[in-house]
Amino acid sequence: MVALFAVFGAPRLQESLGIARTMYLNLAAFAVIVLVIAIWTTDRAVLIPAVIASGIFIGVNNTITTQAVMTVSPVEKPVASAAYSFVRFIGGGLAPYAAGRLVIAVNIHFPFFIGAGAILLGIVVLSTAHRLLNEAERVQAEQVTATAAAAAGAAPAPELVPVAGPAGTTDRSAQSIVAAVDGSPMAALVTEAAARLAAADGRAVHVVHVQEDATAGDAGTDGEDLDAARAAVRRQLDLLALHHVPAEGQILLHAPDHGTAGRMIAEYAAAIGAGTIVIGASSHGGLPALMDASASRELGRHAKQQHPDRESRRARNPDRRGRVE
C-alpha cells in the first residue's frame, strides 16, 4: 500500500485536491487509523486490517510532503533533502525505544495514543504555514496548467538557451534536422547520423539538449548544471563543424521528467519546421517506464500528432555501438 499510493495514488489526489487539502485530509485519516490501532491493539481482527490500511496514508504522506518541502525550500534541494531525511529518521530511530519504554511504564495501547496525538499536532503545525502551502499550491497549479496546455496542443514555447557553435547561426528559412542529444556516448552517434543526413541534401542541424530537473522520493537534486548542458551541446557542434555541416545549438530548460523532455523536443522541431528528428533509441522500459515515460516514445507520439501524414522510419546502427532512430 505504501508503494502503490506513493507512486500512483498521491499524484492523483494532489492533482484533484491540491497539496494543502490532501495533506490535511490524509493526516486526519491517518490519525483516525492510528487511534483505531490504539484502541484495538490486542484484537487481531481489527489490528491487521488497520495496519495494512495505514500504508495508504503513509504512502500519500511520503510523496505529498516531500514534494511540498522541495517546492518551498529556500535552500538547495540536496540541503533540503538532507534536513528532511534527518528529521524523519531521527524520529524513526528513537520511536521503537520510546514505544517500548512507554509500554513498560503504562500499557501496550499508550504508544499508539501518543502516535495519534503526534499526527494531530502535525496538523496544527502545518496550519501555521499558510504562506508556504499557498506557494506550493501556486507552483503545482502552474505545472497542471502547462500539462493541460501541452495535451491540448497549445503549450507555450519552451525556454531556450542558445549555444554558439563554430559555424554560427544557421538559416532558419531552410528545412532543418533536429539532433536530440544528452550527455552520454550515444550523443556522438546521433550527431554523426544527423551529419550524414544533412550533408546528403544540404540541410542544417539544430542540436537540442533538454535540461531535466530532478526530485525523486525524499532525495532532491538540483538537476543538470547549465554549464554541463552547454558543454554537451558544444561538443556536438564541434563534431558537426568537422563535417562542414551548418549547425546551431539550443538547450530547452526545466523538463520535470523524461516524457516531458520528449514532448519539448517535438514542439521545438515543429516550431522551426524541422522535417527530421534524430534521437537515440529508447532504452527506457520495464519497471522504470511505469514511473517515468520514455523521452523517445513521447517524442515520437507527439511528432505523429503534429504531422500525422508523415512516415516514421527507424534505423539501427549496424556496428552495435549504439542505436539511432
Side-chain angles (χ1 to χ4, degrees), residues 17 65 78 102 118-119 186 297-298 325:
L17 299 177
T65 305
L102 288 171
I119 297 170
M186 175 66 71
R297 288 173 185 165
E298 284 295 298
E325 296 183 357

Side-chain angles (χ1 to χ4, degrees), residues 29-283:
F30 191 20
V32 170
I33 205 77
V34 175
L35 185 61
V36 168
I37 294 173
I39 297 171
W40 286 281
T41 309
T42 57
D43 187 339
R44 292 186 179 182
V46 177
L47 178 66
I48 292 172
V51 170
I52 294 172
S54 69
I56 296 172
F57 311 109
I58 295 171
V60 172
N61 189 69
N62 282 354
T63 298
I64 301 297
T65 305
T66 299
Q67 291 182 350
V69 168
M70 296 303 170
T71 299
V72 303
S73 173
V75 298
E76 293 85 355
K77 288 180 180 178
V79 177
S81 176
Y84 179 67
S85 296
F86 175 80
V87 172
R88 287 182 64 190
F89 294 115
I90 281 293
L94 293 175
Y97 173 77
R101 302 303 300 179
L102 288 171
V103 169
I104 294 171
V106 186
N107 58 48
I108 199 169
H109 304 273
F110 191 65
F112 296 105
F113 283 114
I114 294 292
I119 297 170
L120 292 174
L121 179 60
I123 296 175
V124 174
V125 172
L126 184 64
S127 68
T128 66
H130 290 298
R131 182 183 61 81
L132 295 176
L133 289 175
N134 289 337
E135 175 65 14
E137 292 276 12
R138 183 189 65 78
V139 173
Q140 183 200 39
E142 290 178 354
Q143 293 172 346
V144 171
T145 300
T147 301
E159 188 177 350
L160 304 177
V161 175
V163 179
T169 304
T170 62
D171 179 9
R172 292 202 175 201
S173 63
Q175 192 180 66
S176 55
I177 297 170
V178 168
V181 302
D182 56 15
S184 72
M186 175 66 71
L189 300 175
V190 170
T191 302
E192 291 281 359
R196 289 195 298 270
L197 292 171
D201 49 15
R203 287 187 284 175
V205 175
H206 288 243
V207 178
V208 178
H209 176 81
V210 180
Q211 183 193 47
E212 291 190 35
D213 297 328
T215 300
D218 60 357
T221 67
D222 284 327
E224 183 184 28
D225 180 77
L226 188 57
D227 289 337
R230 284 196 183 98
V233 173
R234 201 168 286 119
R235 283 194 297 270
Q236 308 316 314
L237 292 175
D238 291 342
L239 183 58
L240 289 166
L242 293 176
H243 289 278
H244 305 289
V245 172
E248 68 175 86
Q250 298 284 355
I251 300 171
L252 311 185
L253 297 181
H254 307 315
D257 53 48
H258 295 315
T260 303
R263 292 193 294 272
M264 290 170 67
I265 294 167
E267 290 160 9
Y268 176 83
I272 66 171
T276 304
I277 303 173
V278 185
I279 187 172
S282 175
S283 60

